[in-house]
Amino acid sequence: MLLRNRLLFRNLTSFLPSPSPPPKSVSFILSFNKTIAYSTHKLPKPQVVAIRATKQPILEGARFAKTVLFVPPGVDSEDVTDEMILPGSNIVLGPYASHSQIKEVEFVKSSGRAKDCPKDNRPEFAILGRSNVGKSSLINALVRKKEVALTSKKPGKTQLINHFLVNKSWYIVDLPGYGFAKASDTARTDWSSFTKGYFLNRESLVAVLLLIDASVPPQKIDLDCANWLGRNNIPMTFVFTKCDKMKASKGKRLDENIRDFQELIRENYKQHPPWIMTSSVTGLGRDELLLHLSQLRNYWDQ
């Protein structure tokens, strides 16, 4: 079952350099104002398509010149409508989306090695990103408990693989940040080694949430991380953080930074991974991200 599902998501993360330029722009506006229900049928492979949407008011940060959509299993790309797209994302809501609210969460353990992680085979989502991208803040926002994940003004606080059990059914996994860890070079090498070992050997991993700071231009270290995950066929979702900041640093707006990052990704990916805009300050994207995780989790668990 697990191998079948991992293979199903594989084409979403294939690292395939594309010699051709990106397609011409397709304008779109995101909207979502009701719950969509569908009848299930033979499950197609996840698809990535481009659509043209109607013009409606939306957050400025969600206006992009072009996007490709993440169409989950159970949805025919020809049936996609504007209302099925989660706001601030390229994610289509499908029949596997279900109850997604977090009622309880508990810290289970910290592991220094991948082989020491919990062995109950519950589905899990790993949260990864630069040390100052806001990983702990996002976890706290998702579970709405400030004490769940340790936040700190000093980057590199998380040094172990931390498992949090959600609703007694699935895990959020907080991984060590990369880039600015306050540790020796030897320690950082060890962290990189055991984190990669976790990705390559963790059978219960559904997807990686790769956090990207939307307030700054694309960073090489983030692109390198995304490329490594892609080359190793690790399913991922790009989670753009700090989208509450109306003015991004270094001269560009949030939507421009997000668009630039996606353009760089499209140069290396045949099919674009799902992405979503979030803010741990305002709660932007919280419910939508949980819905996305629910449909991935429920399909994985079939």
Side-chain angles (χ1 to χ4, degrees):
M1 177 193 71
L2 180 59
L3 180 58
R4 171 176 60 83
N5 288 313
R6 178 62 62 85
L7 290 174
L8 181 63
F9 284 101
R10 176 170 293 182
N11 63 352
L12 284 173
T13 55
S14 297
F15 182 80
L16 297 174
S18 173
S20 58
K24 293 183 178 180
S25 295
V26 178
S27 60
F28 79 105
I29 297 297
L30 297 171
S31 64
F32 180 77
N33 51 26
K34 62 181 179 180
T35 301
I36 309 296
Y38 310 91
S39 60
T40 58
H41 51 276
K42 185 177 180 181
L43 295 177
K45 291 183 177 181
Q47 306 162 70
V48 179
V49 299
I51 68 168
R52 186 180 299 274
T54 57
K55 294 182 178 180
Q56 299 179 20
I58 195 62
L59 292 172
E60 180 64 28
R63 285 195 175 94
F64 302 107
K66 176 177 65 63
T67 190
V68 284
L69 297 178
F70 170 77
V71 181
V75 178
D76 191 320
S77 60
E78 295 181 355
D79 296 333
V80 173
T81 63
D82 303 347
E83 290 77 18
M84 295 163 63
I85 307 169
L86 293 175
S89 79
N90 72 334
I91 299 167
V92 174
L93 196 66
Y96 284 93
S98 65
H99 169 74
S100 59
Q101 292 305 306
I102 295 178
K103 293 184 177 180
E104 59 178 318
V105 59
E106 60 178 303
F107 170 75
V108 175
K109 67 179 301 188
S110 295
S111 306
R113 299 174 298 178
K115 66 179 183 179
D116 295 330
C117 292
K119 297 177 174 62
D120 51 19
N121 204 39
R122 289 186 174 101
E124 56 193 47
F125 295 90
I127 297 184
L128 180 67
R130 286 191 293 124
S131 296
N132 60 348
V133 76
K135 293 189 295 93
S136 296
S137 295
L138 178 68
I139 294 175
N140 291 336
L142 287 176
V143 304
R144 288 179 172 161
K145 290 180 180 294
K146 292 183 179 180
E147 69 275 13
V148 168
L150 199 59
T151 58
S152 173
K153 293 182 179 180
K154 295 182 179 180
K157 190 70 174 179
T158 302
Q159 301 180 19
L160 299 170
I161 302 173
N162 298 301
H163 275 74
F164 299 92
L165 182 61
V166 180
N167 296 343
K168 298 188 183 301
S169 61
W170 58 281
Y171 286 109
I172 290 175
V173 184
D174 186 15
L175 295 173
Y178 55 81
F180 300 99
K182 298 297 184 180
S184 67
D185 291 338
T186 301
R188 278 181 284 184
T189 299
D190 290 342
W191 294 352
S192 175
S193 177
F194 79 69
T195 300
K196 290 180 179 179
Y198 166 84
F199 290 137
L200 296 174
N201 300 300
R202 191 64 175 167
E203 291 296 315
S204 53
L205 177 64
V206 178
V208 175
L209 305 184
L210 181 56
L211 274 54
I212 308 296
D213 186 345
S215 69
V216 298
Q219 304 293 300
K220 183 179 182 300
I221 193 169
D222 292 329
L223 294 167
D224 288 345
C225 182
N227 292 342
W228 184 91
L229 292 169
R231 285 196 301 272
N232 288 279
N233 298 313
I234 309 297
M236 79 180 82
T237 293
F238 294 124
V239 178
F240 292 100
T241 64
K242 305 181 183 181
C243 291
D244 56 287
K245 297 184 177 181
M246 299 304 294
K247 292 184 179 180
S249 62
K250 300 185 179 179
K252 286 197 173 184
R253 300 194 312 267
L254 294 173
D255 57 336
E256 293 177 318
N257 288 333
I258 295 174
R259 184 185 62 228
D260 290 347
F261 181 87
Q262 294 189 73
E263 289 297 337
L264 291 171
I265 290 296
R266 271 195 287 268
E267 293 177 3
N268 294 323
Y269 284 76
K270 185 177 181 180
Q271 294 182 316
H272 200 295
W275 59 266
I276 188 168
M277 300 168 62
T278 67
S279 167
S280 60
V281 175
T282 66
L284 173 70
R286 176 191 181 270
D287 292 341
E288 291 77 13
L289 179 56
L290 288 175
L291 275 172
H292 172 57
L293 300 187
S294 78
Q295 64 182 3
L296 293 183
R297 184 174 69 253
N298 289 335
Y299 180 70
W300 181 93
D301 206 28
Q302 296 300 307

